Amino acid sequence: METDKFLVTNIRQYLNSDNPKLGEDKLVQELSGFSCPKNWDIENYLKKNAIEFTKKNQSVTYLVFSLKSMALVGYFTIALKPLTVRGERVSNTIKRKIMRVSDFDSRTQTYTMSAYLIAQLGKNYSDGRDKEITGAELLELAWSVIEDMQYMGGGIVVFLEANNEEKLLSFYRDNKFRQFDTRLTASKEAEPHELVQLLRLL
């Protein structure tokens, strides 16, 4: 996908290519220049997990390049996930819309459906490249890819999980996402911490 400012590349284009200028080695080299000191998890995911998760069809990562500099300025990862939403945590308008695509459990008053997860979203802070794209532009590119997926396969719910930091949550609220729940992370490497879950309807 290409806009007037950015080129968005599915990393499968590297992994599935016979072109010697592409391939997995070239992809690893491209990713090695990514830096995100504000959130080490974002950098670690891209360098350690993105390729393997894409190969296993667990998620797909997209690289975003500036057409002006052709530098890697950011990336995002999209996955399909089951999602359960508690009815009392969302508005009646949202409930009416998600009823069409979900299974309702009257005992727990919850709606369960397939949803698009924006699993990762990060800018590249190496050599000041973060200044070439705004967070809103990066999120809008991810949204455009999901709209293409919806056109081909349906679905109406997009969600993401963010650290409980007001600046970050305010950014997502400004971009039409609404909080619907929280959850504790489960990781062997780190202490559990709370993530805020937010959704937006297509």
Side-chain angles (χ1 to χ4, degrees), residues 8 34 42 90 114 125 139 169 191:
V8 179
F34 186 92
I42 288 174
V90 294
S114 293
Y125 287 81
L139 184 58
L169 298 179
E191 287 293 314

Side-chain angles (χ1 to χ4, degrees), residues 3 8 10-11 25 29 37 44-45 50 58 69 84 87 91 94 110 125 143 147 158 172 179 183 186 188:
T3 70
V8 179
N10 184 326
I11 67 169
D25 289 344
Q29 180 185 341
N44 185 61
Y45 177 88
Q58 292 173 262
S69 65
T84 298
S91 68
I94 289 178
T110 57
Y125 287 81
W143 190 261
E147 285 182 323
V158 181
Y172 286 122
Q179 179 178 346
R183 76 170 181 90
K188 295 176 182 177

